[in-house]
Amino acid sequence: MAFGRRPRAPLLLARLSGLRRGACAPAMELPRCFALELPGCTLAHFAVDDEAPGAHPDPHAAALLGPPGRSYSLSVPVAEGAGCAARVRAARLHQRLLHQLRGSPFQLCQLHRLLCYHPGGGAGGLQHGFLLHDPRDSPDTRSALLALLDAYRDAPRPLLAEFAGDAGRQLWRRPWELQDEHGWRQVGSELVVPAPDPALHPVVPDLPSCGVFPHREAARAVLEACTSFIPEAQAVLDLVDRCPEQVQKGKFPVIAIEGLDATGKTTVTQSVSDSLKAVLLKSPPACISQWRKIFDDEPTIIRRAFYSLGNYIVASEIAKESTKSPVIIDRYWHSTATYTIASEVSGGLQHLPPTHHPIYQWPRDLLKPDLVLLLTVSPEERMKRIEGRGLERTREEVELETDSIYRQKVEVSYQRMEDPGCHVVDASPSREKVLQTVLSIIQNNCNVL
């Protein structure tokens, strides 16, 4: 659900791109537009403006953010052009804030995902946050939020604002600011106005710096920023540094096999490697998979840097092994990219980057496979297989089970990958029939049988 549009929106957004006026204006230019994720994976876009006297009230905004109850926004500040260390700190703060807002005393409140962005949609300056709606409008909620912020002594400190309606059904956003001599105080009031849907989801320009890394150095810089609090990050970096920056594939074909858990990847990769007398490799590789759980508990930017660098380590192994025999890889770069896109792009399928967007392109410095196969089964069949295995499930696997939209976004992102794209294989039939289909595709594309 998006807010209604008015002809004044282009003029409004042109004004909102400037610095906020007033004695309390912060040194950092703050985002003035917001994307709020609502139930049903719809997005509502709105903006704040302190120079819109006489603006017509927006009934959609009032219904979403105003009474009954009271809403609060919390976001994590990141300066435009901030380096890896600042983005890593902000991501960890955002994760910490999420855990706190899910606990006491906020259990009776509704929590929604919120993105704060600049109109125009360039990279940098995006702020991740939350909208907390208290249906009771309890003063205890405000007190608890201010006490929560007091616990953040070091920068960056989350930014807090609340939304309140007036008699004319207009909605106002009132930021809170910590003033040494007076404690927390509200500083000004800004009218909430509708904003048009941006042409591209506001998170997409930031994806190359937060998970879909375009080259090895981008991922490496993230883990370098983590070595002070994740000792294993240095161990991963040491392994990466032993790998040549550019590697070449040997004369034998390289086939990557992708798919969600319980689509038959383990069985198919083993069977295909046996049939082709190929070497079977996995990403992340065995040399770093012992640390997988550590990085899986970290925010997206850190988790995906770990998996990205794992791909580069595997690439060195592929280069060596493909001089002697065919190589089969159980997951590779496509997995790293699709899970990042699906988790970071809020809303439904319609908000994914469009087909042929550069985000779906293979990194230029990563060894490319000759063929990528994507195994698929129906959601019902996948669930049946998962229940039959009785294995411990990862956080992402649990999310795939409980959030059908997230699962669909992963699947669609897989299918939009280019150069190389994915050959989709229905993995529902018997093992023998799936293996026969896979070997036929490999023969037609790689001529190895």
Side-chain angles (χ1 to χ4, degrees):
M1 179 167 72
F3 291 163
R5 298 174 174 80
R6 301 207 237 308
R8 66 185 294 275
L11 178 60
L12 163 69
L13 294 183
R15 280 212 315 272
L16 292 179
S17 62
L19 285 172
R20 176 183 167 189
R21 292 187 175 90
C24 296
M28 182 193 307
E29 181 182 350
L30 298 178
R32 310 286 283 164
C33 293
F34 305 85
L36 174 63
E37 187 172 43
L38 302 171
C41 290
T42 56
L43 292 182
H45 292 269
F46 64 95
V48 293
D49 186 11
D50 51 5
E51 298 180 348
H56 295 293
D58 181 15
H60 297 291
L64 288 166
L65 305 173
R70 187 177 297 266
S71 295
Y72 303 86
S73 66
L74 294 99
S75 60
V76 179
V78 182
E80 189 166 357
C84 278
R87 290 199 299 273
V88 165
R89 284 196 302 271
R92 298 191 93 219
L93 173 56
H94 180 268
Q95 182 171 278
R96 176 184 168 191
L97 194 59
L98 173 60
H99 293 326
Q100 291 173 314
L101 293 176
R102 282 176 170 169
S104 177
F106 306 110
Q107 293 100 326
L108 297 179
C109 297
Q110 301 158 5
L111 192 62
H112 301 281
R113 190 173 176 181
L114 185 70
L115 288 172
C116 315
Y117 62 97
H118 295 288
L126 183 75
Q127 294 181 5
H128 293 263
F130 309 96
L131 184 98
L132 187 77
H133 180 71
D134 178 12
R136 305 164 301 158
D137 192 9
S138 169
D140 293 339
T141 300
R142 177 194 287 174
S143 299
L145 286 171
L146 295 177
L148 184 153
L149 296 187
D150 274 335
Y152 289 87
R153 300 295 180 183
D154 301 324
R157 186 195 298 267
L159 305 176
L160 173 67
E162 66 179 79
F163 296 88
D166 62 17
R169 291 190 58 77
Q170 288 182 320
L171 189 67
W172 299 86
R173 176 180 179 268
R174 294 170 180 162
W176 285 83
E177 190 174 280
L178 182 62
Q179 300 179 348
D180 293 338
E181 66 276 18
H182 301 293
W184 288 97
R185 294 175 65 94
Q186 288 187 336
V187 285
S189 191
E190 304 162 313
L191 187 64
V192 176
V193 295
D197 294 1
L200 196 64
H201 191 286
V203 83
V204 172
D206 274 9
L207 285 176
S209 63
C210 74
V212 190
F213 301 107
H215 47 75
R216 177 166 122 172
E217 283 307 305
R220 193 186 188 287
V222 171
L223 281 205
E224 281 184 340
C226 300
T227 54
S228 63
F229 54 88
I230 307 177
E232 293 79 6
Q234 186 60 59
V236 175
L237 292 172
D238 291 342
L239 289 169
V240 171
D241 290 342
R242 295 176 197 168
C243 303
E245 291 190 8
Q246 294 288 342
V247 293
Q248 298 295 322
K249 187 180 76 66
K251 64 179 181 178
F252 290 92
V254 176
I255 298 112
I257 298 182
E258 298 276 4
L260 306 182
D261 285 353
T263 54
K265 278 193 295 65
T266 300
T267 300
V268 170
T269 52
Q270 187 63 62
S271 299
V272 171
S273 63
D274 291 343
S275 298
L276 300 181
K277 296 181 174 56
V279 171
L280 175 58
L281 301 175
K282 293 186 178 183
S283 187
C287 60
I288 66 170
S289 59
Q290 59 186 313
W291 304 311
R292 185 172 178 175
K293 189 176 188 313
I294 294 170
F295 288 94
D296 278 347
D297 289 336
E298 294 292 333
T300 296
I301 185 173
I302 300 174
R303 186 165 68 252
R304 292 305 161 199
F306 168 77
Y307 284 105
S308 293
L309 293 179
N311 291 330
Y312 285 93
I313 296 173
V314 168
S316 291
E317 298 178 12
I318 295 170
K320 179 175 66 176
E321 298 296 341
S322 62
T323 63
K324 300 176 286 187
S325 69
V327 175
I328 306 298
I329 320 164
D330 184 346
R331 286 192 171 170
Y332 199 21
W333 181 80
H334 281 357
S335 287
T336 308
T338 54
Y339 280 87
T340 304
I341 294 168
S343 62
E344 294 302 290
V345 176
S346 55
L349 294 174
Q350 70 273 25
H351 300 294
L352 288 174
T355 304
H356 306 310
H357 189 278
I359 204 68
Y360 299 118
Q361 296 290 325
W362 192 270
R364 286 177 291 180
D365 64 344
L366 181 62
L367 188 150
K368 188 184 301 184
D370 296 287
L371 181 66
V372 181
L373 302 176
L374 174 63
L375 306 182
T376 64
V377 296
S378 69
E380 295 77 18
E381 174 64 21
R382 205 175 72 86
M383 284 298 298
K384 188 187 302 181
R385 294 180 181 185
I386 288 173
E387 291 169 357
R389 292 191 316 182
L391 299 177
E392 183 180 355
R393 303 171 190 179
T394 64
R395 183 176 64 182
E396 283 181 337
E397 181 55 46
V398 171
E399 191 170 357
L400 285 169
E401 293 175 38
T402 58
D403 188 343
S404 62
I405 299 297
Y406 174 64
R407 185 183 66 249
Q408 291 173 50
K409 287 195 290 187
V410 172
E411 292 171 339
V412 170
S413 296
Y414 264 128
Q415 294 169 16
R416 290 183 181 177
M417 292 292 158
E418 295 181 336
D419 192 29
C422 296
H423 290 255
V424 179
V425 177
D426 179 8
S428 300
S430 66
R431 294 181 182 182
E432 293 75 16
K433 187 167 184 179
V434 173
L435 176 60
Q436 183 180 4
T437 301
V438 168
L439 291 175
S440 176
I441 294 173
I442 293 173
Q443 183 179 25
N444 292 337
N445 287 272
C446 301
N447 193 29
V448 295
L449 298 180

